[in-house]
Amino acid sequence: MKHIRWKAGIATIALLFAFPSMTVDAYTDYTKELTYVYSSKGVSMNIPTSYEYKRAISLKSLEESLGVSITSLADMFVKENGELYVVEKELGAILCFDEKQEFSGMKQEFYEADGSVITLNKPEGVFVSDDHIFYIADTGNNRIIVAKEDGSIIRIIERPENILGTDLVSFIPTSLVVDSVGRISVVARNINSGIMQFSKDGVFTGYTGAPSVSIDAFTKLLRKISTAKQKAQMQTYVPTEYNNIKIDAKNFIWGTISSISATDLLEVINGKDLSGAITPIKKLNTMGVDVLNRKGVYAPVGDLIFTDDPSKIVDVGIGPNNIYSLLDNTKGRIFTYNNDGILLYAFGNKGTKKGNMQTPAAIDYIGKDIYVLDSGLCQILIYEPTYYGNLLIDAEGYYDLGDYNAANAMWKEVAELNSNFSYAYIGLGNALYSNGEYEEAMEYYEYANDAENYSKAKEKLRKETSEGIFPIVFCSVFGVMILSVSVAASKRIRRYVKGEELHLGKGEEE
């Protein structure tokens, strides 16, 4: 343990002199709003800058050439090759950008088979498949439009006639995704039963991932002792509704819930609740089960400290190496977590400085770069990782690939740059653990106060030790047994030989 503490102390001093490519402003001029994490006690700590502003794509600049006013940006869809699609709500249009992110056209009109033209009415969501099929949440017209790139309509999905035995008064789709087999998942306003799902042919098939209902302990007790009449008079508690969804390469659906109250979030934070019963982010498998890992001290909820309004998570960006970022509309923050739900870094702010946000609406990744659609600024803000940010992302990647030696080297460098970041030591411990170096891993887990992983490594070490000792003990016991048998047999043989000699001697005398 002494050598770990010694290294941590030296690392703090080294920050002032080493790595000229790194800025140390996070420890001096920058405030918490730029880059920080939380300690195991929920205290915010400034860390080296992980991401910095790169550039912006101005959508306002298109107004003159298009002859329109761009005022209300609702959604953004990003493809891996760099193509961008932005929903302009008031215009009823999809603004398209090619892989070089240069403007390539605007889609406002779509065509029925008979040649009739239909237009969008206050659309709020778009998804574009690999074969350039457009799926548009035509929100104001209460429908979903599925169309080819040339604008010809493939299908129009309208309000289902009947949804699980209940009448749906209105169908207001706001966000949608499509999986690898063509199944369409839709977030609809005023629907709290979960995410609506439609087949490839547009047939409604049910809900998935219904959010939980939050009821305080006193109300639960009161309901138990109340009569049926009293229960009928009580306030009706309904689940919260999703506000946005994304889908990853493995067909997991990521849904965000922004309508969680400050009281509920405080209970989750103060109680260190990792159950996911109340959460602003879910990762749903094909069965609708939330499989998001929550293995940190605190669940992924955004800011742990707030005075009035908590983080309002309006979107999630799915990044490389199983990391993901939550976009907070309250303060313009981006919270990035690893696959275990541990906060790697948080940055961003609302303001007037270059790189600040005003009204963040959507977030996505292209490679390691983060793209944020800001409806207030009518811009797409682009942030790129710093040297320190790249270290964190690459360390997670090497660990996922099973290259534990490379991951270990990355985490050592992270720990040297940021000795207060306990997860760096957990990362070192994980790399050593996966490499079978349990005793060394225990040292890092102990330094990071990670009792769970420490116990796991200790158990592995005990098992390994016992397995190593067993052959020695077995061979020793077996050897003693053989030796004992040999000695006993030798004695009997000697007695037998001596007895025979005596017998022969007596015969000769006679």
Side-chain angles (χ1 to χ4, degrees), residues 2-16:
K2 286 182 179 179
H3 73 279
I4 296 177
R5 292 191 177 92
W6 178 81
K7 286 180 180 178
I10 293 297
T12 305
I13 299 172
L15 282 169
L16 300 175

Side-chain angles (χ1 to χ4, degrees), residues 49-66:
T49 303
S50 303
Y51 267 77
E52 55 191 9
Y53 173 73
K54 182 179 182 181
R55 65 184 179 94
I57 300 173
S58 173
L59 302 175
K60 273 285 185 183
S61 63
L62 301 174
E63 289 183 334
E64 187 175 348
S65 60
L66 294 174

